[in-house]
Amino acid sequence: MELVIGLGYVALTVPEIDRSLDFYRRIAHLKVSERGTKKAFLTGGINHHWLRLEETGKPSLSRLGFEVRDRAALDEIANRLDAGGIPWKAADDLAGDRVSDAIRFTDPDGFEIELFTDMVSLPVPMDTFLKMDRVLHSVWLASDPTESGRFYRDVLGFKESDWIERAMVFMRAGNRYHHSIGIARDTARLGRMDHFCILVEDLDDVMRARNVALRSGAKLRQDVVRHAASGSMSTYIIDPMIDIAVEFCTNHRQIDDESYRARILPAQASTLDLWQQLPEDFAEPGQPANGTETNWNRLNDG
């Protein structure tokens, strides 16, 4: 039985909390569930927070929070951490952190991880512009995805869903979504989060998020794409204050087959976006296709 249910929240430190709040409220469509002078919690559902922001003057991924199945699962992970010589500490500040029955430790890539059994629930779900389901996954950058993935498999019980060659691994937790975490090799940006993802109801919500972002002057890191690994359709909006992306996705598949074996996908454009696949006889305008120069614009000139 799986120990970790899935990603619970992302905690970021930011240079100016008011500017970050403006972005995540207007562009990411999250609602503030609680606010302090230098700290804020935001959500898109009934859980108290999917995102935690804290003003420190320096942008970084402060912590990733994962929900575990129950207290027995938490104890099992603590025993595995002890067996591996990995220090951990109890964290049970419900008033300050809005989670209870939790532990914290540092993973092999230097990120602080919190595992919790319970989070404060709101009396009613937030009424949001987009139909949001959950904060789904986070992807970060490491020197050795194989070694990092081994830790999440052996200690936290994650399962491999797919690889992009051996440069990136996608791993799933108990909610069975294709990945709750992704770890990619990037030695130039070690120790940084690439993006986190919010799962929305359908493609209309993805396109609404895209439209609002562009009309508000935000920049897209990737326009609408369809990923080969998860099958999801997504758009990625850049948070300019800390240079990460917020992904909005839909149709992210779940893996129910216990006999499923992770694939090794090729590192090519159509793996990242199936819509980038081109036919064999494709040619750019003005370039020969099957020996014949074709410019379809000229055919419409009359």
Side-chain angles (χ1 to χ4, degrees), residues 189-231:
R189 297 190 296 157
L190 288 179
R192 293 182 57 183
M193 185 170 71
D194 182 77
H195 71 271
F196 69 91
C197 176
I198 295 172
L199 180 66
V200 295
E201 184 174 277
D202 53 32
L203 185 58
D204 286 340
D205 285 311
V206 173
M207 297 306 291
R208 289 187 189 102
R210 174 189 182 275
N211 178 57
V212 171
L214 291 176
R215 294 188 65 175
S216 300
K219 297 184 182 301
L220 303 183
R221 196 182 71 188
Q222 287 176 280
D223 209 338
V224 182
V225 298
R226 179 154 197 154
H227 294 305
S230 65

Side-chain angles (χ1 to χ4, degrees), residues 280-295:
E280 293 180 1
D281 59 353
F282 175 80
E284 299 284 353
Q287 298 297 315
N290 296 328
T292 303
E293 181 176 338
T294 303
N295 187 326

Side-chain angles (χ1 to χ4, degrees), residues 273-286:
D273 179 11
L274 285 170
W275 293 327
Q276 292 294 318
Q277 187 172 4
L278 300 172
E280 293 180 1
D281 59 353
F282 175 80
E284 299 284 353

